[in-house]
Amino acid sequence: MKKKGNYIKKLAGEKEREVISYEDAPLDEIKDSEPLPANATKTFFKGFLILVISVVVVMAVTNIDKLTPENISHWVAYDLLGMSEGEGYPASFSGADVDTGNFDLMDGVPVYCSDTSITVLNSNAGKYQEVNHAFANPILSTNSSYSIVYNEGATGYTIIDRDSVVKTGLTEKKIFCADVCPKGIYCILSEDDDYLAKLTVYRKDDLEMYQYSFADFYVNRVSINTDGTRAVVSGLSAKNGSLLSVLYVLDFSQGNYMQRYEFDEIYIYDIKYLDNGNAVAVGDKSAYYIDINGGSKKNIEYHSKFLTCYTLDRKNGMLLSLSSTPDGKECEVLMTDENGKNTADIMTNRQVLSMDYRNDRVAVLFDREACVYNMKGKKVGEIPSKSDSRKIRFADINSVYILGKSSLYNISAKE
């Protein structure tokens, strides 16, 4: 019987090669009879390094506007070191209640303000941060990489980015409204001793850069543009015994307002400065697209229908839910895009609770269900929801965040 060990095996058309049986050979004797050349290993690692550097360079060039010290430190601390690992959704709230207006997305992740704290979550429900507050009436306003929470009717405010508190301050007078831009420039609309209201704009380092006082209208809403160079402000007054609303366009390099638009017998609920330099406004009887660049406004008529809810998006424009009945049922969803074009008219025949838009898709929240529609009004996806669902936001093209009474859900759409 042949002893196991080294032997010679001949293959047709090949030179003889020694084959090692590893059963009996001592470990220190096991060697590759034909090791790779040293330069082959060096060539492999050199090529691999070049590939890695090329990928990094391409990512850096395509995301040059996001390569800030804050984002780099965030990536190291939270993504590389895993400081905010979560256990997945649903995520229970910190605090007793979150108003629908106090939930949004910042840098693509959820941010919400409850009655006790401000919380930023990651895609797996881990907490980037949680900041306690003592505001009696907190209002959240988010603009890309920053959020400001102000105490409406009082003097306190807090500005956060995704990972930390940027600023906590107090104003001298009570706050009506506030907003912040992606560059960290923020504005506060407040009471004033000598006028009906005053808008004050601050640089990121908290130095005052602009101030404008309002003598004719009780202004109550403000939205700042992406660059932190302009703002739209809305308010109301009376004219011949009738309601009169106004919208100012302010340029922070000018002493007087840049444009002013009046709306008879209309109460303006909300306004938004769009990323393309124009603005939208939602009223009780009509909505408006403000072409700031062209100096004109466009009416979006409700045609005697009832506004049940709306969504204003700085990048995409405006979504309106209009009901043909006073009870808010039988709704249709209208979309006006960032260029003022009516791009969607979706007949739902149901009561709409909330809406959102992303990548030519409109997500609409109903009671116990949400649906995704394309721009032609065809339903292309269904999303189950809870009985306490109140607000919807796209997490990505295939899933949504849904705000409940006590929890935040992340649910995938089914075609």
Side-chain angles (χ1 to χ4, degrees):
M1 184 174 182
K2 284 188 177 181
K3 180 182 178 181
K4 293 182 180 179
N6 293 349
Y7 65 94
I8 305 296
K9 181 179 179 182
K10 294 184 178 180
L11 299 175
E14 294 184 3
K15 66 179 182 178
E16 293 183 351
R17 182 179 178 185
E18 185 178 356
V19 180
I20 300 175
S21 170
Y22 295 103
E23 282 186 58
D24 302 321
L27 291 176
D28 57 354
E29 293 181 6
I30 299 174
K31 296 180 180 178
D32 191 345
S33 60
E34 295 182 6
L36 288 172
N39 62 343
T41 303
K42 292 180 180 179
T43 301
F44 170 77
F45 282 110
K46 184 177 180 180
F48 179 75
L49 183 60
I50 292 173
L51 178 62
V52 171
I53 293 174
S54 299
V55 172
V56 171
V57 169
V58 171
M59 292 180 65
V61 171
T62 56
N63 296 275
I64 189 67
D65 59 325
K66 298 179 181 179
L67 291 180
T68 63
E70 292 84 358
N71 283 342
I72 294 173
S73 64
H74 168 87
W75 179 82
V76 172
Y78 292 92
D79 299 320
L80 185 62
L81 301 181
M83 288 175 59
S84 62
E85 291 182 0
E87 298 180 355
Y89 289 91
S92 298
F93 295 142
S94 299
D97 186 46
V98 176
D99 290 338
T100 56
N102 285 343
F103 161 64
D104 214 326
L105 299 184
M106 179 173 63
D107 264 353
V109 297
V111 55
Y112 67 84
C113 180
S114 72
D115 54 341
T116 61
S117 62
I118 308 163
T119 306
V120 185
L121 302 178
N122 67 10
S123 58
N124 200 39
K127 291 181 180 178
Y128 284 140
Q129 66 171 315
E130 186 172 74
V131 183
N132 292 330
H133 69 77
F135 297 160
N137 191 22
I139 306 294
L140 170 73
S141 180
T142 298
N143 193 338
S144 183
S145 52
Y146 290 94
S147 291
I148 185 169
V149 176
Y150 59 94
N151 196 6
E152 186 180 36
T155 60
Y157 66 95
T158 297
I159 300 174
I160 65 168
D161 59 17
R162 183 175 45 185
D163 311 320
S164 61
V165 175
V166 176
K167 166 74 176 176
T168 296
L170 294 171
T171 58
E172 293 182 0
K173 301 297 180 179
K174 293 180 181 180
I175 300 172
F176 295 133
C177 189
D179 199 15
V180 62
C181 86
K183 293 185 177 181
I185 298 170
Y186 63 100
C187 58
I188 296 178
L189 192 62
S190 65
E191 291 182 342
D192 187 63
D193 287 332
D194 301 320
Y195 296 89
L196 297 178
K198 177 178 66 176
L199 179 70
T200 309
V201 183
Y202 300 91
R203 299 188 332 193
K204 187 178 180 180
D205 59 9
D206 300 323
L207 291 178
E208 183 180 316
M209 59 178 282
Y210 179 79
Q211 191 177 108
Y212 191 91
S213 296
F214 300 88
D216 301 324
F217 286 83
Y218 293 92
V219 293
N220 55 5
R221 302 294 300 173
V222 61
S223 179
I224 194 169
N225 71 346
T226 301
D227 296 329
T229 57
R230 292 178 178 177
V232 289
V233 179
S234 66
L236 63 149
S237 184
K239 181 179 180 181
N240 299 325
S242 299
L243 177 66
L244 177 66
S245 289
V246 67
L247 188 146
Y248 291 93
V249 180
L250 301 176
D251 188 308
F252 302 156
S253 65
Q254 300 178 16
N256 201 0
Y257 60 81
M258 178 180 168
Q259 296 172 15
R260 191 175 95 163
Y261 301 90
E262 295 185 354
F263 311 92
D264 292 324
E265 296 292 338
I266 296 290
Y267 182 86
I268 299 296
Y269 291 133
D270 206 355
I271 56 177
K272 193 71 70 177
Y273 214 122
L274 303 180
D275 287 347
N276 69 352
N278 295 314
V280 287
V282 177
D284 57 346
K285 300 174 184 177
S286 183
Y288 304 91
Y289 179 85
I290 311 299
D291 184 356
I292 296 175
N293 299 323
S296 63
K297 66 180 174 69
K298 172 186 176 182
N299 290 20
I300 295 93
E301 300 290 346
Y302 296 169
H303 300 294
S304 299
K305 293 184 178 181
F306 303 89
L307 179 72
T308 66
C309 63
Y310 62 88
T311 298
L312 304 184
D313 186 272
R314 299 178 194 270
K315 180 179 179 181
N316 300 307
M318 174 169 53
L319 286 166
L320 303 171
S321 171
L322 301 176
S323 173
S324 57
T325 60
D327 60 5
K329 299 179 180 179
E330 305 292 327
C331 292
E332 66 174 314
V333 175
L334 302 179
M335 180 173 182
T336 300
D337 69 11
E338 72 277 15
N339 298 310
K341 296 180 180 179
N342 297 330
T343 55
D345 188 349
I346 303 169
M347 300 299 300
T348 71
N349 297 318
R350 301 171 67 178
Q351 184 175 12
V352 174
L353 305 178
S354 178
M355 306 162 290
D356 197 22
Y357 172 81
R358 183 163 180 164
N359 291 12
D360 295 328
R361 294 289 186 269
V362 177
V364 182
L365 179 64
F366 308 110
D367 182 31
R368 298 179 183 272
E369 182 188 27
C371 294
V372 180
Y373 298 87
N374 62 21
M375 302 307 288
K376 294 181 179 180
K378 180 181 178 181
K379 186 167 66 175
V380 294
E382 295 181 350
I383 303 167
S385 67
K386 307 295 181 180
S387 59
D388 65 344
S389 297
R390 297 178 292 153
K391 188 173 182 178
I392 192 168
R393 285 291 179 265
F394 272 111
D396 54 48
I397 191 62
N398 298 312
S399 65
V400 296
Y401 292 110
I402 294 181
L403 179 74
K405 282 286 186 182
S406 59
S407 298
L408 180 64
Y409 304 90
N410 186 317
I411 305 174
S412 297
K414 299 178 181 179
E415 295 184 0

